[in-house]
PDB file of all heavy atoms in Angstrom:
ATOM      1  N   PRO A   1      37.924 -10.994-106.297  1.00  0.00           N
ATOM      2  CA  PRO A   1      37.216 -10.119-105.261  1.00  0.00           C
ATOM      3  C   PRO A   1      36.839  -8.812-105.652  1.00  0.00           C
ATOM      4  O   PRO A   1      37.627  -8.192-106.507  1.00  0.00           O
ATOM      5  CB  PRO A   1      38.401 -10.075-104.118  1.00  0.00           C
ATOM      6  CG  PRO A   1      39.639 -10.284-104.956  1.00  0.00           C
ATOM      7  CD  PRO A   1      39.239 -11.284-106.045  1.00  0.00           C
ATOM      8  N   ASP A   2      35.727  -8.187-105.459  1.00  0.00           N
ATOM      9  CA  ASP A   2      35.213  -7.025-105.988  1.00  0.00           C
ATOM     10  C   ASP A   2      35.372  -5.931-104.860  1.00  0.00           C
ATOM     11  O   ASP A   2      35.214  -4.740-105.155  1.00  0.00           O
ATOM     12  CB  ASP A   2      33.834  -7.028-106.586  1.00  0.00           C
ATOM     13  CG  ASP A   2      32.871  -7.610-105.639  1.00  0.00           C
ATOM     14  OD1 ASP A   2      33.148  -7.812-104.464  1.00  0.00           O
ATOM     15  OD2 ASP A   2      31.776  -7.927-106.096  1.00  0.00           O
ATOM     16  N   HIS A   3      35.614  -6.215-103.608  1.00  0.00           N
ATOM     17  CA  HIS A   3      35.891  -5.387-102.585  1.00  0.00           C
ATOM     18  C   HIS A   3      34.648  -4.376-102.300  1.00  0.00           C
ATOM     19  O   HIS A   3      34.798  -3.205-101.983  1.00  0.00           O
ATOM     20  CB  HIS A   3      37.121  -4.476-102.810  1.00  0.00           C
ATOM     21  CG  HIS A   3      38.340  -5.234-103.107  1.00  0.00           C
ATOM     22  ND1 HIS A   3      38.921  -6.108-102.115  1.00  0.00           N
ATOM     23  CD2 HIS A   3      39.110  -5.328-104.255  1.00  0.00           C
ATOM     24  CE1 HIS A   3      40.011  -6.613-102.677  1.00  0.00           C
ATOM     25  NE2 HIS A   3      40.077  -6.281-103.901  1.00  0.00           N
ATOM     26  N   ILE A   4      33.519  -4.854-102.503  1.00  0.00           N
ATOM     27  CA  ILE A   4      32.261  -3.928-102.478  1.00  0.00           C
ATOM     28  C   ILE A   4      31.892  -3.716-101.048  1.00  0.00           C
ATOM     29  O   ILE A   4      31.507  -2.491-100.737  1.00  0.00           O
ATOM     30  CB  ILE A   4      31.041  -4.671-103.134  1.00  0.00           C
ATOM     31  CG1 ILE A   4      30.048  -3.534-103.402  1.00  0.00           C
ATOM     32  CG2 ILE A   4      30.386  -5.679-102.482  1.00  0.00           C
ATOM     33  CD1 ILE A   4      29.561  -3.420-104.894  1.00  0.00           C
ATOM     34  N   VAL A   5      32.139  -4.592-100.069  1.00  0.00           N
ATOM     35  CA  VAL A   5      31.794  -4.255 -98.552  1.00  0.00           C
ATOM     36  C   VAL A   5      32.825  -3.235 -98.138  1.00  0.00           C
ATOM     37  O   VAL A   5      32.351  -2.324 -97.485  1.00  0.00           O
ATOM     38  CB  VAL A   5      31.851  -5.529 -97.773  1.00  0.00           C
ATOM     39  CG1 VAL A   5      31.648  -5.224 -96.303  1.00  0.00           C
ATOM     40  CG2 VAL A   5      30.779  -6.553 -98.308  1.00  0.00           C
ATOM     41  N   TRP A   6      34.091  -3.374 -98.445  1.00  0.00           N
ATOM     42  CA  TRP A   6      35.172  -2.381 -97.918  1.00  0.00           C
ATOM     43  C   TRP A   6      34.813  -1.097 -98.558  1.00  0.00           C
ATOM     44  O   TRP A   6      34.891  -0.071 -97.920  1.00  0.00           O
ATOM     45  CB  TRP A   6      36.508  -3.018 -98.390  1.00  0.00           C
ATOM     46  CG  TRP A   6      37.574  -2.240 -97.959  1.00  0.00           C
ATOM     47  CD1 TRP A   6      37.745  -1.331 -96.982  1.00  0.00           C
ATOM     48  CD2 TRP A   6      38.991  -2.461 -98.311  1.00  0.00           C
ATOM     49  NE1 TRP A   6      39.001  -0.974 -96.705  1.00  0.00           N
ATOM     50  CE2 TRP A   6      39.798  -1.576 -97.560  1.00  0.00           C
ATOM     51  CE3 TRP A   6      39.548  -3.200 -99.309  1.00  0.00           C
ATOM     52  CZ2 TRP A   6      41.096  -1.379 -97.779  1.00  0.00           C
ATOM     53  CZ3 TRP A   6      40.968  -3.118 -99.436  1.00  0.00           C
ATOM     54  CH2 TRP A   6      41.764  -2.243 -98.762  1.00  0.00           C
ATOM     55  N   SER A   7      34.473  -1.098 -99.887  1.00  0.00           N
ATOM     56  CA  SER A   7      34.156   0.257-100.469  1.00  0.00           C
ATOM     57  C   SER A   7      32.877   0.949 -99.835  1.00  0.00           C
ATOM     58  O   SER A   7      32.977   2.093 -99.713  1.00  0.00           O
ATOM     59  CB  SER A   7      33.860   0.007-102.016  1.00  0.00           C
ATOM     60  OG  SER A   7      35.047  -0.502-102.596  1.00  0.00           O
ATOM     61  N   LEU A   8      31.885   0.089 -99.529  1.00  0.00           N
ATOM     62  CA  LEU A   8      30.601   0.609 -98.980  1.00  0.00           C
ATOM     63  C   LEU A   8      31.230   1.245 -97.531  1.00  0.00           C
ATOM     64  O   LEU A   8      30.645   2.340 -97.260  1.00  0.00           O
ATOM     65  CB  LEU A   8      29.714  -0.466 -98.773  1.00  0.00           C
ATOM     66  CG  LEU A   8      28.364  -0.027 -98.207  1.00  0.00           C
ATOM     67  CD1 LEU A   8      27.775   1.084 -99.210  1.00  0.00           C
ATOM     68  CD2 LEU A   8      27.374  -1.133 -98.150  1.00  0.00           C
ATOM     69  N   PHE A   9      31.966   0.466 -96.719  1.00  0.00           N
ATOM     70  CA  PHE A   9      32.393   0.973 -95.467  1.00  0.00           C
ATOM     71  C   PHE A   9      33.155   2.303 -95.750  1.00  0.00           C
ATOM     72  O   PHE A   9      32.885   3.254 -95.000  1.00  0.00           O
ATOM     73  CB  PHE A   9      33.381   0.012 -94.801  1.00  0.00           C
ATOM     74  CG  PHE A   9      33.989   0.553 -93.593  1.00  0.00           C
ATOM     75  CD1 PHE A   9      33.170   0.517 -92.334  1.00  0.00           C
ATOM     76  CD2 PHE A   9      35.261   1.006 -93.567  1.00  0.00           C
ATOM     77  CE1 PHE A   9      33.789   0.942 -91.233  1.00  0.00           C
ATOM     78  CE2 PHE A   9      35.693   1.514 -92.418  1.00  0.00           C
ATOM     79  CZ  PHE A   9      35.110   1.482 -91.213  1.00  0.00           C
ATOM     80  N   ASN A  10      34.054   2.402 -96.609  1.00  0.00           N
ATOM     81  CA  ASN A  10      34.769   3.602 -96.875  1.00  0.00           C
ATOM     82  C   ASN A  10      33.908   4.770 -97.304  1.00  0.00           C
ATOM     83  O   ASN A  10      34.065   5.898 -97.109  1.00  0.00           O
ATOM     84  CB  ASN A  10      35.940   3.408 -97.845  1.00  0.00           C
ATOM     85  CG  ASN A  10      37.138   2.721 -97.170  1.00  0.00           C
ATOM     86  OD1 ASN A  10      37.246   2.734 -96.120  1.00  0.00           O
ATOM     87  ND2 ASN A  10      37.930   2.024 -98.048  1.00  0.00           N
ATOM     88  N   THR A  11      32.839   4.552 -98.080  1.00  0.00           N
ATOM     89  CA  THR A  11      31.945   5.466 -98.576  1.00  0.00           C
ATOM     90  C   THR A  11      31.144   6.087 -97.496  1.00  0.00           C
ATOM     91  O   THR A  11      30.905   7.361 -97.378  1.00  0.00           O
ATOM     92  CB  THR A  11      30.994   4.890 -99.573  1.00  0.00           C
ATOM     93  OG1 THR A  11      31.594   4.223-100.782  1.00  0.00           O
ATOM     94  CG2 THR A  11      29.966   5.903-100.196  1.00  0.00           C
ATOM     95  N   VAL A  12      30.795   5.170 -96.576  1.00  0.00           N
ATOM     96  CA  VAL A  12      29.976   5.717 -95.402  1.00  0.00           C
ATOM     97  C   VAL A  12      30.752   6.393 -94.340  1.00  0.00           C
ATOM     98  O   VAL A  12      30.390   7.500 -93.846  1.00  0.00           O
ATOM     99  CB  VAL A  12      29.140   4.530 -94.738  1.00  0.00           C
ATOM    100  CG1 VAL A  12      28.400   4.951 -93.520  1.00  0.00           C
ATOM    101  CG2 VAL A  12      28.079   3.984 -95.784  1.00  0.00           C
ATOM    102  N   PHE A  13      31.964   5.837 -94.010  1.00  0.00           N
ATOM    103  CA  PHE A  13      32.647   6.277 -92.824  1.00  0.00           C
ATOM    104  C   PHE A  13      33.858   7.027 -93.161  1.00  0.00           C
ATOM    105  O   PHE A  13      34.445   7.953 -92.512  1.00  0.00           O
ATOM    106  CB  PHE A  13      33.048   5.185 -91.921  1.00  0.00           C
ATOM    107  CG  PHE A  13      31.777   4.556 -91.337  1.00  0.00           C
ATOM    108  CD1 PHE A  13      31.469   3.260 -91.777  1.00  0.00           C
ATOM    109  CD2 PHE A  13      31.141   5.174 -90.385  1.00  0.00           C
ATOM    110  CE1 PHE A  13      30.275   2.641 -91.130  1.00  0.00           C
ATOM    111  CE2 PHE A  13      29.924   4.558 -89.812  1.00  0.00           C
ATOM    112  CZ  PHE A  13      29.567   3.438 -90.222  1.00  0.00           C
ATOM    113  N   MET A  14      34.616   6.740 -94.277  1.00  0.00           N
ATOM    114  CA  MET A  14      35.766   7.359 -94.575  1.00  0.00           C
ATOM    115  C   MET A  14      35.846   7.918 -95.958  1.00  0.00           C
ATOM    116  O   MET A  14      36.753   7.754 -96.811  1.00  0.00           O
ATOM    117  CB  MET A  14      36.976   6.275 -94.497  1.00  0.00           C
ATOM    118  CG  MET A  14      37.021   5.586 -93.238  1.00  0.00           C
ATOM    119  SD  MET A  14      38.432   5.979 -92.344  1.00  0.00           S
ATOM    120  CE  MET A  14      38.392   5.059 -91.007  1.00  0.00           C
ATOM    121  N   ASN A  15      34.953   8.804 -96.169  1.00  0.00           N
ATOM    122  CA  ASN A  15      34.710   9.333 -97.555  1.00  0.00           C
ATOM    123  C   ASN A  15      35.429  10.698 -97.723  1.00  0.00           C
ATOM    124  O   ASN A  15      34.883  11.666 -98.260  1.00  0.00           O
ATOM    125  CB  ASN A  15      33.243   9.545 -97.900  1.00  0.00           C
ATOM    126  CG  ASN A  15      32.974   9.681 -99.320  1.00  0.00           C
ATOM    127  OD1 ASN A  15      33.824   9.232-100.193  1.00  0.00           O
ATOM    128  ND2 ASN A  15      31.734  10.062 -99.700  1.00  0.00           N
ATOM    129  N   TRP A  16      36.747  10.758 -97.440  1.00  0.00           N
ATOM    130  CA  TRP A  16      37.679  11.957 -97.577  1.00  0.00           C
ATOM    131  C   TRP A  16      37.821  12.095 -98.989  1.00  0.00           C
ATOM    132  O   TRP A  16      38.321  11.230 -99.751  1.00  0.00           O
ATOM    133  CB  TRP A  16      38.813  11.855 -96.835  1.00  0.00           C
ATOM    134  CG  TRP A  16      38.622  11.626 -95.293  1.00  0.00           C
ATOM    135  CD1 TRP A  16      38.793  10.477 -94.613  1.00  0.00           C
ATOM    136  CD2 TRP A  16      38.321  12.606 -94.472  1.00  0.00           C
ATOM    137  NE1 TRP A  16      38.488  10.608 -93.262  1.00  0.00           N
ATOM    138  CE2 TRP A  16      38.176  11.859 -93.121  1.00  0.00           C
ATOM    139  CE3 TRP A  16      37.954  14.008 -94.478  1.00  0.00           C
ATOM    140  CZ2 TRP A  16      37.710  12.557 -91.864  1.00  0.00           C
ATOM    141  CZ3 TRP A  16      37.650  14.541 -93.289  1.00  0.00           C
ATOM    142  CH2 TRP A  16      37.481  13.892 -92.008  1.00  0.00           C
ATOM    143  N   CYS A  17      37.580  13.397 -99.567  1.00  0.00           N
ATOM    144  CA  CYS A  17      37.915  13.562-100.888  1.00  0.00           C
ATOM    145  C   CYS A  17      37.205  12.730-101.943  1.00  0.00           C
ATOM    146  O   CYS A  17      37.523  12.493-103.024  1.00  0.00           O
ATOM    147  CB  CYS A  17      39.307  13.615-101.326  1.00  0.00           C
ATOM    148  SG  CYS A  17      40.357  14.706-100.223  1.00  0.00           S
ATOM    149  N   CYS A  18      36.005  12.142-101.494  1.00  0.00           N
ATOM    150  CA  CYS A  18      35.103  11.265-102.335  1.00  0.00           C
ATOM    151  C   CYS A  18      35.880   9.924-102.810  1.00  0.00           C
ATOM    152  O   CYS A  18      35.539   9.352-103.640  1.00  0.00           O
ATOM    153  CB  CYS A  18      34.636  11.969-103.548  1.00  0.00           C
ATOM    154  SG  CYS A  18      33.468  13.228-103.068  1.00  0.00           S
ATOM    155  N   LEU A  19      37.025   9.550-102.045  1.00  0.00           N
ATOM    156  CA  LEU A  19      37.786   8.410-102.548  1.00  0.00           C
ATOM    157  C   LEU A  19      36.931   7.173-102.138  1.00  0.00           C
ATOM    158  O   LEU A  19      36.970   6.226-102.940  1.00  0.00           O
ATOM    159  CB  LEU A  19      39.019   8.398-101.705  1.00  0.00           C
ATOM    160  CG  LEU A  19      40.106   9.255-102.014  1.00  0.00           C
ATOM    161  CD1 LEU A  19      41.263   9.262-101.047  1.00  0.00           C
ATOM    162  CD2 LEU A  19      40.611   9.066-103.518  1.00  0.00           C
ATOM    163  N   GLY A  20      36.114   7.206-101.067  1.00  0.00           N
ATOM    164  CA  GLY A  20      35.209   5.994-100.873  1.00  0.00           C
ATOM    165  C   GLY A  20      34.207   5.801-101.815  1.00  0.00           C
ATOM    166  O   GLY A  20      33.913   4.699-102.323  1.00  0.00           O
ATOM    167  N   PHE A  21      33.544   6.962-102.307  1.00  0.00           N
ATOM    168  CA  PHE A  21      32.676   6.728-103.376  1.00  0.00           C
ATOM    169  C   PHE A  21      33.265   6.392-104.633  1.00  0.00           C
ATOM    170  O   PHE A  21      32.514   5.486-105.433  1.00  0.00           O
ATOM    171  CB  PHE A  21      31.924   8.251-103.532  1.00  0.00           C
ATOM    172  CG  PHE A  21      30.990   8.137-104.566  1.00  0.00           C
ATOM    173  CD1 PHE A  21      29.565   7.478-104.341  1.00  0.00           C
ATOM    174  CD2 PHE A  21      31.056   8.677-105.900  1.00  0.00           C
ATOM    175  CE1 PHE A  21      28.686   7.481-105.370  1.00  0.00           C
ATOM    176  CE2 PHE A  21      30.067   8.691-106.783  1.00  0.00           C
ATOM    177  CZ  PHE A  21      28.870   8.114-106.573  1.00  0.00           C
ATOM    178  N   VAL A  22      34.317   6.764-105.050  1.00  0.00           N
ATOM    179  CA  VAL A  22      35.018   6.328-106.255  1.00  0.00           C
ATOM    180  C   VAL A  22      35.302   4.916-106.217  1.00  0.00           C
ATOM    181  O   VAL A  22      35.108   4.058-107.162  1.00  0.00           O
ATOM    182  CB  VAL A  22      36.272   7.169-106.644  1.00  0.00           C
ATOM    183  CG1 VAL A  22      37.024   6.655-107.818  1.00  0.00           C
ATOM    184  CG2 VAL A  22      35.887   8.657-106.812  1.00  0.00           C
ATOM    185  N   ALA A  23      35.783   4.474-105.022  1.00  0.00           N
ATOM    186  CA  ALA A  23      36.158   3.144-104.910  1.00  0.00           C
ATOM    187  C   ALA A  23      34.861   2.180-104.906  1.00  0.00           C
ATOM    188  O   ALA A  23      34.920   1.163-105.586  1.00  0.00           O
ATOM    189  CB  ALA A  23      36.801   2.771-103.529  1.00  0.00           C
ATOM    190  N   PHE A  24      33.768   2.732-104.441  1.00  0.00           N
ATOM    191  CA  PHE A  24      32.564   1.992-104.445  1.00  0.00           C
ATOM    192  C   PHE A  24      32.008   1.945-106.072  1.00  0.00           C
ATOM    193  O   PHE A  24      31.598   0.869-106.406  1.00  0.00           O
ATOM    194  CB  PHE A  24      31.398   2.652-103.626  1.00  0.00           C
ATOM    195  CG  PHE A  24      30.092   1.898-103.647  1.00  0.00           C
ATOM    196  CD1 PHE A  24      29.975   0.754-102.938  1.00  0.00           C
ATOM    197  CD2 PHE A  24      28.964   2.432-104.348  1.00  0.00           C
ATOM    198  CE1 PHE A  24      28.788   0.182-102.873  1.00  0.00           C
ATOM    199  CE2 PHE A  24      27.749   1.859-104.212  1.00  0.00           C
ATOM    200  CZ  PHE A  24      27.704   0.513-103.519  1.00  0.00           C
ATOM    201  N   ALA A  25      32.240   2.882-106.618  1.00  0.00           N
ATOM    202  CA  ALA A  25      31.848   3.017-108.166  1.00  0.00           C
ATOM    203  C   ALA A  25      32.714   1.819-108.881  1.00  0.00           C
ATOM    204  O   ALA A  25      32.204   1.021-109.712  1.00  0.00           O
ATOM    205  CB  ALA A  25      32.083   4.285-108.793  1.00  0.00           C
ATOM    206  N   TYR A  26      34.004   1.809-108.724  1.00  0.00           N
ATOM    207  CA  TYR A  26      34.789   0.778-109.392  1.00  0.00           C
ATOM    208  C   TYR A  26      34.561  -0.626-108.770  1.00  0.00           C
ATOM    209  O   TYR A  26      34.633  -1.651-109.561  1.00  0.00           O
ATOM    210  CB  TYR A  26      36.339   1.117-109.088  1.00  0.00           C
ATOM    211  CG  TYR A  26      36.840   2.082-110.067  1.00  0.00           C
ATOM    212  CD1 TYR A  26      37.036   3.421-109.687  1.00  0.00           C
ATOM    213  CD2 TYR A  26      37.160   1.796-111.388  1.00  0.00           C
ATOM    214  CE1 TYR A  26      37.566   4.291-110.626  1.00  0.00           C
ATOM    215  CE2 TYR A  26      37.717   2.625-112.328  1.00  0.00           C
ATOM    216  CZ  TYR A  26      37.856   3.797-111.967  1.00  0.00           C
ATOM    217  OH  TYR A  26      38.404   4.731-112.863  1.00  0.00           O
ATOM    218  N   SER A  27      34.109  -0.829-107.573  1.00  0.00           N
ATOM    219  CA  SER A  27      33.649  -2.136-107.037  1.00  0.00           C
ATOM    220  C   SER A  27      32.512  -2.596-107.793  1.00  0.00           C
ATOM    221  O   SER A  27      32.355  -3.840-108.068  1.00  0.00           O
ATOM    222  CB  SER A  27      33.496  -2.066-105.499  1.00  0.00           C
ATOM    223  OG  SER A  27      34.705  -1.759-104.966  1.00  0.00           O
ATOM    224  N   VAL A  28      31.543  -1.707-108.034  1.00  0.00           N
ATOM    225  CA  VAL A  28      30.251  -2.032-108.677  1.00  0.00           C
ATOM    226  C   VAL A  28      30.668  -2.547-110.180  1.00  0.00           C
ATOM    227  O   VAL A  28      30.133  -3.420-110.675  1.00  0.00           O
ATOM    228  CB  VAL A  28      29.226  -0.971-108.711  1.00  0.00           C
ATOM    229  CG1 VAL A  28      28.100  -1.229-109.585  1.00  0.00           C
ATOM    230  CG2 VAL A  28      28.681  -0.753-107.163  1.00  0.00           C
ATOM    231  N   LYS A  29      31.530  -1.698-110.765  1.00  0.00           N
ATOM    232  CA  LYS A  29      32.135  -2.057-112.045  1.00  0.00           C
ATOM    233  C   LYS A  29      32.684  -3.408-112.240  1.00  0.00           C
ATOM    234  O   LYS A  29      32.462  -4.224-113.023  1.00  0.00           O
ATOM    235  CB  LYS A  29      32.982  -0.920-112.722  1.00  0.00           C
ATOM    236  CG  LYS A  29      32.365   0.342-113.076  1.00  0.00           C
ATOM    237  CD  LYS A  29      33.364   1.311-113.727  1.00  0.00           C
ATOM    238  CE  LYS A  29      32.686   2.627-114.060  1.00  0.00           C
ATOM    239  NZ  LYS A  29      33.668   3.462-114.659  1.00  0.00           N
ATOM    240  N   ALA A  30      33.493  -3.707-111.177  1.00  0.00           N
ATOM    241  CA  ALA A  30      34.142  -4.967-111.184  1.00  0.00           C
ATOM    242  C   ALA A  30      33.155  -6.145-110.924  1.00  0.00           C
ATOM    243  O   ALA A  30      33.204  -7.206-111.612  1.00  0.00           O
ATOM    244  CB  ALA A  30      35.134  -5.171-109.983  1.00  0.00           C
ATOM    245  N   ARG A  31      32.031  -5.929-110.152  1.00  0.00           N
ATOM    246  CA  ARG A  31      31.057  -6.958-109.999  1.00  0.00           C
ATOM    247  C   ARG A  31      30.242  -7.060-111.310  1.00  0.00           C
ATOM    248  O   ARG A  31      29.953  -8.247-111.655  1.00  0.00           O
ATOM    249  CB  ARG A  31      30.165  -6.419-108.885  1.00  0.00           C
ATOM    250  CG  ARG A  31      29.015  -7.523-108.634  1.00  0.00           C
ATOM    251  CD  ARG A  31      28.357  -7.351-107.356  1.00  0.00           C
ATOM    252  NE  ARG A  31      29.053  -7.823-106.262  1.00  0.00           N
ATOM    253  CZ  ARG A  31      28.689  -7.936-105.024  1.00  0.00           C
ATOM    254  NH1 ARG A  31      27.466  -7.566-104.812  1.00  0.00           N
ATOM    255  NH2 ARG A  31      29.410  -8.388-104.170  1.00  0.00           N
ATOM    256  N   ASP A  32      29.987  -6.045-111.932  1.00  0.00           N
ATOM    257  CA  ASP A  32      29.225  -6.140-113.191  1.00  0.00           C
ATOM    258  C   ASP A  32      30.090  -6.944-114.257  1.00  0.00           C
ATOM    259  O   ASP A  32      29.490  -7.757-115.092  1.00  0.00           O
ATOM    260  CB  ASP A  32      29.046  -4.759-113.799  1.00  0.00           C
ATOM    261  CG  ASP A  32      27.903  -4.058-113.012  1.00  0.00           C
ATOM    262  OD1 ASP A  32      27.192  -4.784-112.258  1.00  0.00           O
ATOM    263  OD2 ASP A  32      27.720  -2.851-113.292  1.00  0.00           O
ATOM    264  N   ARG A  33      31.405  -6.658-114.327  1.00  0.00           N
ATOM    265  CA  ARG A  33      32.233  -7.354-115.221  1.00  0.00           C
ATOM    266  C   ARG A  33      32.291  -8.750-114.977  1.00  0.00           C
ATOM    267  O   ARG A  33      32.390  -9.690-115.791  1.00  0.00           O
ATOM    268  CB  ARG A  33      33.690  -6.625-115.249  1.00  0.00           C
ATOM    269  CG  ARG A  33      33.777  -5.340-115.947  1.00  0.00           C
ATOM    270  CD  ARG A  33      33.703  -5.435-117.374  1.00  0.00           C
ATOM    271  NE  ARG A  33      32.473  -4.912-117.913  1.00  0.00           N
ATOM    272  CZ  ARG A  33      31.933  -5.234-119.004  1.00  0.00           C
ATOM    273  NH1 ARG A  33      32.352  -5.969-119.848  1.00  0.00           N
ATOM    274  NH2 ARG A  33      30.634  -4.561-119.324  1.00  0.00           N
TER     275      ARG A  33
END
């Protein structure tokens, strides 16, 4: 599981201290790998 949908949700709605954006970046890296 790459958690990309959850990361996108956190990026849009719960982006406190840019944690959602960082999670989205790692999710994209996981999908690429």
Side-chain angles (χ1 to χ4, degrees):
D2 52 13
H3 308 293
I4 196 125
V5 175
W6 189 12
S7 299
L8 187 62
F9 174 81
N10 283 338
T11 300
V12 173
F13 296 110
M14 305 250 179
N15 201 16
W16 302 102
C17 302
C18 294
L19 289 174
F21 180 73
V22 173
F24 185 71
Y26 275 101
S27 294
V28 170
K29 286 182 179 184
R31 181 169 280 191
D32 289 345
R33 291 283 111 204

